[in-house]
Amino acid sequence: MAQNQPKLSLPVRLLPDKEDPGLPPPKSARSCRLRSCFDYARCPLTSGFPVYVYDTGSYPWGDYLDPLVKQAFAASVKSNIYVTDNPSIACLYLVLVGELQESSSSPLPSPSELEKQLKALPYWRSDGHNHVLVHLSRKSMTQNFLYNVSTGRAAVAQSTFLEQQYREGFDLVVSPLVHALSEPNFLEVPPQVPVKRKYLFTFQGERVESLRSSLQEAPPQSFEEEMEGDPPADYDDRIIGTLKAVQDSHLDQVLVEFTCKNPRPSLPTEWALCGEREDRLEVLKVSTFSLVIAPGDGQLVASAGCGMRLFEALEVGTIPVVLGDHSRLPYHQFIRWSEAAIIVPKPRVTELHFLLRSLSDNDMLAMRRQGRFLWETYFSTSENVLNTLLASIRTSIQVPAAPIKEEPAHEIPHKAGKLAGTDANLADNGDLDLGPVETEPPYASPRFLRNFTYTAADTYRAWNRAPGPFHLFPHTPLDPVLPSEAKFLGSGTGFRPIGGGTGGSGKEFQAALGGNVPREQFTVVMLTYEREEVLMNSLERLNGLPYLNKVVVVWNSPKPPSDDLLWPDIGLPIVVVRTEKNSLNNRFLPWDAVETEAILSIDDDAHLRHDEIMFGFRVWREARDRIVGFPGRYHAWDVNHQSWLYNSNYSCELSMVLTGAAFFHKYYAYLYSYVMPQAIRDMVDEYINCEDIAMNFLVSHITRKPPIKVTSRWTFRCPGCPQALSHDDSHFHERHKCINFFVKVYGYMPLLYTQFRVDSVLFKTRLPHDKTKCFKFI
């Protein structure tokens, strides 16, 4: 065990030397790539990715920066965990150079003046290596001001690029900064269902200036003939004609407008945005698809105008259709845009209508959902824009993310009393030995096993799996484990599953956990509020429970435990955690005292037998990405009131498992506390209810799988315990409101139904007489 799976911790932090050794010069600044223009020596893998941000207010061009961009950027920098005020240890240097605004008193600095000012930066080091020049666009027309500036080995991050300017794999196409200081209201975002809206597709725009069209000088040609000719074919004329023909056919309701009453300023050959942003959003809200036509000049590979159209489409749940496969979409090196948008060459415009009609509702909903994830995670706020910019660079140079913070468990001192006995009802397991063969002390789950692997090997999955923005948010010490990621112990060449015996034998299954992953333990997290006698009885019932690592009692009351309260001695640590306020969200805080991947969340009045808990743990180990528990509930659609209902009646199907008695992975505690929209946690605090529904929504949203119910239990309250909050008449009314509110926040109903529960393989199986002894535990 010690040899093959050593205990890992965070590595020692290595920082760059103060002396810069210098880099061999590339052939030209235009040929810069990371390998030739980036100094990896300043960014050791264990450096923590320190980033120094210049105070642009101290430099001449800072006076011309858009005040909103400048203010939003400064606020985002202040809250970023990677930013350091020590430039000598920095891996990366950020310089905000735009968006610039010309003042009435003085013109903008010329390119040569800006170049001279950049070279005068104190850490430019002659060629600007490890610098990133950030140009954030807030308007559709953003001049490519850096085009005539020699940036040396500094990378450029902006929304507009010409082909001869863009250095693939080195420069970054970033999204526009639409919400500079305002936070988007997620409740105003239209729902993701129904899938089909009023218009099949829409487009509103006007060309500012067009290339010379070959269609104006000769009879119409096929696209193949146009592409073979020497002059560039202006496909935009054919696009206009084709889209107007679709609109005139009335086969589907579409809206296309190629003239604007009030076109927004845009770059030459680009399609100008029409009218005000609010008016455009109203049209997009009733559109299934939205066309984003790339500029007519093929040399313009990225533009702020196209970025703005893409942003607005994703914001309101319209599926973008990008006409022009030469376009570079934001962060295209990392984001798999084909999962959220349809990208087709302009010559395919004659088949576009057929293509859009052929998509199934399920595919469209999946794309809309992925688009919502991309918008929320990468583009919606100025903080997300900066986080995404830094994450893309950090991922490119393969530096792992910093570990996410854990909630410090401020322990309440308590006195242990006599050795706890064992409840007779809980111990009635016949001659079944529930415990492990080995008598080992409590041990934690391995940590930091995949901090480098996840960054280097799983880039696309990390960037494109909703809603876990693993690269933006620091990674968790206990990395998420999906069913396909079976852990094994072994020596180099061979793997052997731990705990499974020879396989198929009831005796070995009885004596060990079995399954396909190493032996492990779980932590009980128990929420309580001023029910000391009930709590003590529940803790005492845990005595002798196999594979239990420790018990974390979340003390939700502002009053401390009684001074004369004697806590049972169950042979394992009982950590009593003091909370800042009475909140049911405290149940799901990622407490640092929890050192196992598996958490059994349990109410202080839950009454479960040891064999039930052990079977739930076995099942969870084979479905680690699911909630596995005992009481099942379901949601239903109220036709009369056109709303969702919460139901606890006996049913042939369920969609939720109550977290008052359920196993889940600690990874979801991080997501619940730090990633899930704050509005959901606020409603839990307002009603003092619904935290279990919120966790079910979160896990189903991430996995697109229902929870797993084990055993036939429908309730789990202990007999004779004082009444809980769930007995109040208003309890169910509040849960109805919670479900409908959560649906608004997510934009759709993420809960999924299931019609089965899990039992042992040989549950109620007729066995031959000579085999019954071996399988007596079933």
Side-chain angles (χ1 to χ4, degrees):
M1 187 73 178
Q3 176 184 358
N4 296 325
Q5 194 175 21
K7 184 178 179 180
L8 299 181
S9 60
L10 281 176
V12 176
R13 188 183 187 192
L14 299 181
L15 296 173
D17 297 328
K18 294 182 179 180
E19 297 296 329
D20 188 69
L23 287 172
K27 294 180 179 179
S28 69
R30 296 293 186 193
S31 64
C32 263
R33 298 296 184 269
L34 284 174
R35 63 181 179 272
S36 58
C37 290
F38 191 86
D39 184 6
Y40 281 85
R42 296 203 62 82
C43 306
L45 291 176
T46 60
S47 64
F49 192 60
V51 178
Y52 179 78
V53 182
Y54 286 94
D55 180 11
T56 48
S58 306
Y59 300 97
W61 73 86
D63 297 334
Y64 299 95
L65 288 171
D66 183 324
L68 286 179
V69 172
K70 188 176 180 180
Q71 188 176 351
F73 184 77
S76 302
V77 165
K78 190 175 181 181
S79 62
N80 193 277
I81 63 171
Y82 295 107
V83 172
T84 177
D85 56 2
N86 185 359
S88 63
I89 67 169
C91 160
L92 198 71
Y93 299 83
L94 286 191
V95 187
L96 182 65
V97 296
E99 186 169 62
L100 299 180
Q101 285 185 339
E102 188 172 358
S103 63
S104 56
S105 58
S106 58
L108 294 175
S110 65
S112 59
E113 291 174 335
L114 180 58
E115 183 178 326
K116 185 177 180 180
Q117 294 169 8
L118 289 174
K119 291 181 178 179
L121 291 174
Y123 310 105
W124 188 261
R125 297 187 180 94
S126 74
D127 57 8
H129 63 269
N130 291 42
H131 279 63
V132 179
L133 308 181
V134 182
H135 188 288
L136 299 178
S137 306
R138 204 168 58 86
K139 303 172 183 175
S140 59
M141 179 183 172
T142 299
Q143 295 295 338
N144 191 359
F145 197 68
L146 292 175
Y147 177 67
N148 293 316
V149 175
S150 176
T151 58
R153 296 185 184 181
V156 176
Q158 60 183 21
S159 300
T160 302
F161 279 101
L162 290 175
E163 186 173 24
Q164 60 268 33
Q165 172 194 16
Y166 180 65
R167 297 168 290 185
E168 187 75 46
F170 189 70
D171 293 328
L172 285 171
V173 179
V174 300
S175 60
L177 185 63
V178 178
H179 296 288
L181 291 176
S182 61
E183 292 284 337
N185 187 347
F186 293 104
L187 296 180
E188 295 179 358
V189 176
Q192 299 184 44
V193 290
V195 174
K196 294 177 179 176
R197 298 175 176 175
K198 177 181 178 180
Y199 296 111
L200 176 65
F201 64 82
T202 58
F203 179 79
Q204 294 175 301
E206 182 175 323
R207 284 186 297 179
V208 177
E209 176 185 331
S210 176
L211 295 173
R212 180 171 58 90
S213 174
S214 61
L215 298 178
Q216 296 173 347
E217 300 178 356
Q221 300 173 297
S222 69
F223 281 118
E224 292 77 8
E225 291 173 332
E226 291 176 8
M227 293 176 70
E228 290 176 357
D230 293 332
D234 188 359
Y235 295 126
D236 290 359
D237 289 343
R238 179 66 65 87
I239 290 173
I240 293 174
T242 301
L243 296 182
K244 283 184 176 180
V246 174
Q247 186 177 37
D248 296 340
S249 70
H250 301 292
L251 292 174
D252 288 292
Q253 198 167 359
V254 301
L255 174 64
V256 290
E257 296 176 352
F258 300 105
T259 58
C260 298
K261 295 181 180 179
N262 184 24
R264 315 305 298 174
S266 298
L267 297 175
T269 76
E270 191 177 22
W271 288 89
L273 294 167
C274 292
E276 299 297 327
R277 168 177 151 82
E278 291 74 18
D279 298 330
R280 297 194 300 271
L281 292 181
E282 289 304 314
V283 173
L284 292 174
K285 287 177 181 179
V286 293
S287 307
T288 306
F289 298 96
S290 172
L291 302 189
V292 180
I293 305 178
D297 186 355
Q299 298 297 315
L300 190 59
V301 295
S303 67
C306 284
M308 198 74 70
R309 288 184 184 275
L310 186 69
F311 179 96
E312 292 177 353
L314 297 177
E315 182 177 8
V316 296
T318 304
I319 301 172
V321 180
V322 181
L323 278 173
D325 57 350
H326 64 283
S327 295
R328 299 289 196 274
L329 300 183
Y331 312 108
H332 60 91
Q333 306 99 315
F334 306 101
I335 295 177
R336 193 173 290 148
W337 279 104
S338 58
E339 295 181 358
I342 298 172
I343 304 172
V344 295
K346 286 186 177 181
R348 289 281 186 198
V349 68
T350 55
E351 300 173 291
L352 183 63
H353 186 206
F354 165 78
L355 173 63
L356 299 184
R357 294 185 72 182
S358 68
L359 293 176
S360 69
D361 287 1
N362 286 339
D363 289 338
M364 288 191 288
L365 181 59
M367 296 183 75
R368 183 173 291 167
R369 179 174 170 270
Q370 182 69 5
R372 171 74 175 266
F373 159 68
L374 295 178
W375 177 75
E376 285 184 0
T377 307
Y378 305 126
F379 312 134
S380 58
T381 66
S382 59
E383 183 177 354
N384 286 351
V385 170
L386 178 62
N387 286 343
T388 307
L389 170 64
L390 294 181
S392 60
I393 298 171
R394 183 185 52 74
T395 304
S396 296
I397 61 176
Q398 299 181 332
V399 175
I404 200 168
K405 70 170 185 176
E406 293 188 302
E407 290 295 323
H410 300 294
E411 190 171 355
I412 300 176
H414 58 279
K415 294 182 293 184
K418 64 178 182 178
L419 184 67
T422 302
D423 190 301
N425 293 325
L426 302 183
D428 187 17
N429 296 311
D431 58 357
L432 171 60
D433 178 15
L434 293 176
V437 175
E438 305 88 354
T439 56
E440 296 184 17
Y443 59 92
S445 297
R447 297 159 61 90
F448 305 108
L449 290 180
R450 307 195 68 232
N451 54 352
F452 177 75
T453 310
Y454 209 76
T455 304
D458 297 341
T459 298
Y460 269 108
R461 187 180 65 167
W463 278 76
N464 295 280
R465 188 171 68 193
F470 310 111
H471 51 285
L472 292 191
F473 296 89
H475 74 77
T476 63
L478 302 175
D479 293 309
V481 180
L482 300 182
S484 60
E485 299 170 353
K487 286 184 180 179
F488 292 94
L489 295 183
S491 57
T493 57
F495 295 128
R496 64 178 181 89
I498 298 300
T502 57
S505 171
K507 182 178 180 181
E508 280 77 5
F509 183 82
Q510 171 183 340
L513 266 179
N516 302 307
V517 293
R519 265 195 67 227
E520 62 182 324
Q521 297 179 338
F522 63 91
T523 301
V524 166
V525 175
M526 186 177 293
L527 190 75
T528 188
Y529 185 88
E530 297 184 1
R531 295 198 294 184
E532 293 181 350
E533 183 179 354
V534 173
L535 174 64
M536 296 304 112
N537 291 334
S538 295
L539 291 174
E540 190 165 353
R541 285 195 295 270
L542 297 177
N543 184 44
L545 179 61
Y547 301 106
L548 179 60
N549 180 274
K550 70 175 66 166
V551 180
V552 175
V553 176
V554 181
W555 192 268
N556 237 13
S557 172
K559 297 191 301 184
S562 303
D563 294 335
D564 57 350
L565 184 63
L566 293 180
W567 296 69
D569 181 3
I570 62 174
L572 292 168
I574 297 178
V575 179
V576 186
V577 178
R578 180 174 59 250
T579 59
E580 295 182 358
K581 64 176 182 178
N582 177 22
S583 170
L584 293 180
N585 292 315
N586 294 334
R587 179 196 298 275
F588 301 127
L589 283 172
W591 301 106
D592 58 6
V594 177
E595 299 178 301
T596 60
E597 295 182 20
I599 293 177
L600 172 58
S601 173
I602 191 167
D603 287 342
D604 58 2
D605 58 355
H607 197 274
L608 296 173
R609 301 195 311 270
H610 285 191
D611 62 305
E612 292 176 317
I613 295 175
M614 286 308 304
F615 181 67
F617 185 40
R618 293 179 189 273
V619 173
W620 177 86
R621 283 163 48 82
E622 298 186 27
R624 307 172 76 87
D625 60 336
R626 315 274 281 274
I627 298 177
V628 176
F630 301 90
R633 301 293 185 264
Y634 67 96
H635 67 291
W637 180 250
D638 185 349
V639 177
N640 295 328
H641 297 90
Q642 293 294 293
S643 62
W644 293 103
L645 296 176
Y646 170 86
N647 203 311
S648 63
N649 295 328
Y650 289 93
S651 171
C652 292
E653 60 183 4
L654 59 93
S655 58
M656 292 173 279
V657 164
L658 300 187
T659 55
F663 285 93
F664 64 89
H665 199 290
K666 187 182 178 182
Y667 180 70
Y668 293 126
Y670 296 102
L671 295 186
Y672 184 99
S673 302
Y674 303 141
V675 179
M676 188 180 70
Q678 179 64 39
I680 295 179
R681 293 190 293 273
D682 290 342
M683 178 160 238
V684 170
D685 285 337
E686 179 183 351
Y687 286 155
I688 317 179
N689 198 343
C690 307
E691 86 286 357
D692 48 357
I693 300 178
M695 178 59 87
N696 277 272
F697 264 68
L698 174 66
V699 177
S700 294
H701 174 60
I702 293 171
T703 63
R704 303 307 300 133
K705 298 175 185 177
I708 295 178
K709 173 176 169 51
V710 293
T711 78
S712 59
R713 274 182 174 267
W714 211 257
T715 61
F716 56 87
R717 301 296 179 190
C718 60
C721 289
Q723 284 196 347
L725 292 172
S726 58
H727 290 83
D728 194 294
D729 291 339
S730 63
H731 177 75
F732 284 93
H733 296 291
E734 292 171 350
R735 292 172 88 79
H736 299 329
K737 294 179 182 177
C738 285
I739 284 186
N740 287 282
F741 179 79
F742 296 166
V743 168
K744 285 185 179 179
V745 174
Y746 281 98
Y748 76 113
M749 168 54 77
L751 297 179
L752 297 170
Y753 294 108
T754 181
Q755 296 184 347
F756 71 88
R757 72 167 190 257
V758 176
D759 288 304
S760 298
V761 174
L762 296 180
F763 180 70
K764 290 188 176 181
T765 300
R766 288 173 173 258
L767 297 172
H769 179 72
D770 59 341
K771 300 292 184 182
T772 54
K773 183 177 181 181
C774 181
F775 293 101
K776 195 170 182 179
F777 64 93
I778 298 298

